[in-house]
Amino acid sequence: MKFGSIYEEYLRAEQDKYLAKCSHVEYKRLKKVLKRCRLDRSLQADGTNSDQQEDRSDDSSDACDCNSCTLCDQMFFTELTKEASDIAGYFSTRVQHLLNLHVPSGLQRYIWRVRQCFIDDQQIMVQEGRLLINYVTMNAIAIRKILKKYDKVHGSVSGRDFRSKMQTEHTELLQSPWLIELGAFHLNCDSSDIDEPVGFFKNGFFKNFSCDLAGTQPVMTMAISETMKYDYSLTCPICLDTIFNPYALSCGHLFCKGCACGAASVYIFQGVRSAPPEAKCPVCREVGVFAHAVHMNELDLLIKTRCKDYWRCRLREERAEMVKQSKEYWESQAMLSMGI
Ligand SMILES: [Zn+2]
Ligand SMILES: [Zn+2]
Ligand SMILES: [Zn+2]
């Protein structure tokens, strides 16, 4: 089956579910725009456009020689940009809401455990997680496919450029750290044991998540279809070890808490978010990415349960470092107050 039909079917199935009200990529309509554009171009190429194309011939002739098409562009890239950012925004809000329920802290967790029938709730949460994963992967694939079509119709690389722009601007949906969190959640729940209502998930491409934390390159893999998979590296770019106490900066890059604090020259006990605004991401050099850094609870839990010894060892190291840093901090404060 062609992607267009699968996607339409997916949207139809979503219509009466809770994802109905949120943004989706208007794949069908964008495809029509491309079709009309192609028609215009072929007519023009045949030299038969003089009479029939009076309303669009200006646009089309502009488009022929340069790398962008005025006929498509207005709607095309502006619309895709808006859709992608709406989808990313909605996705992160929903995932945060879902996962806050899963790893609440302290008293909240206690009240929650007492109040809820845990297994039933977990099942509902896993189902909701799958819906969200399907939501984001279906839309991400729709964007990729339509950009490829754009390039094919126009013989351009604008679609490809747009995709790299999305990557640098962190609107590429599959790069979302929230997807990694959902993947970790999926693995933490060991959802293979959870029964799925028949037919409930037959729409959408998402198959499963798996992880390999034992190898030299710890990785989490999302299988989208039989042939498509997406790897997420779980190596911290600073200590080059499996990520520990992980934080995602707003650019999407992941680091151990201690490594991120070190890179931003703040003490671990002050926290990643206390980094000065001019601190740069050690990977992409973007500024202002520390203020809204998020702790990846599910990923932390995954590593804690699957690499117990490693996790404990890193915890000991982190605590020792914190003690050392606090001592340093108070000594410096004391010196300051004594005017030394
Ligand atoms: Zn065009
Ligand atoms: Zn690290
Ligand atoms: Zn970054």
Side-chain angles (χ1 to χ4, degrees), residues 33-34 37-38 41 63 69-73 150 153-154:
V33 172
L34 288 180
C37 178
R38 188 168 49 199
R41 286 160 165 267
C69 165
T70 36
L71 178 63
C72 294
D73 266 354
Y150 183 95
V153 168
H154 298 93

Side-chain angles (χ1 to χ4, degrees), residues 33-51:
V33 172
L34 288 180
K35 205 171 167 185
R36 201 180 54 211
C37 178
R38 188 168 49 199
L39 201 69
D40 281 1
R41 286 160 165 267
S42 64
L43 285 173
Q44 196 179 35
D46 291 346
T48 54
N49 63 330
S50 48
D51 292 321

Side-chain angles (χ1 to χ4, degrees), residues 56-153:
R56 292 195 203 116
S57 54
D58 284 350
D59 286 347
S60 308
S61 56
D62 276 344
C64 261
D65 301 325
C66 64
N67 226 359
S68 67
C69 165
T70 36
L71 178 63
C72 294
D73 266 354
Q74 291 291 324
M75 302 165 67
F76 211 86
F77 292 118
T78 354
E79 194 172 295
L80 266 187
T81 308
K82 191 180 175 306
E83 278 164 3
S85 91
D86 286 353
I87 292 164
Y90 184 80
F91 177 69
S92 72
T93 316
R94 288 307 295 234
V95 177
Q96 283 178 69
H97 179 76
L98 178 74
L99 298 182
N100 274 338
L101 285 174
H102 187 237
V103 194
S105 56
L107 185 65
Q108 214 186 343
R109 178 185 349 212
Y110 174 74
I111 297 170
W112 190 71
R113 284 258 164 90
V114 172
R115 218 172 37 198
Q116 309 288 332
C117 172
F118 187 71
I119 294 302
D120 277 2
D121 257 39
Q122 180 157 313
Q123 188 159 345
I124 290 166
M125 284 170 70
V126 168
Q127 288 167 1
E128 191 175 330
R130 286 192 77 106
L131 285 174
L132 286 168
I133 297 168
N134 262 326
Y135 170 64
V136 88
T137 48
M138 286 307 272
N139 280 290
I141 297 168
I143 292 175
R144 284 175 190 209
K145 296 262 179 193
I146 206 74
L147 288 175
K148 266 203 184 144
K149 274 191 201 298
Y150 183 95
D151 280 351
K152 205 171 154 196
V153 168

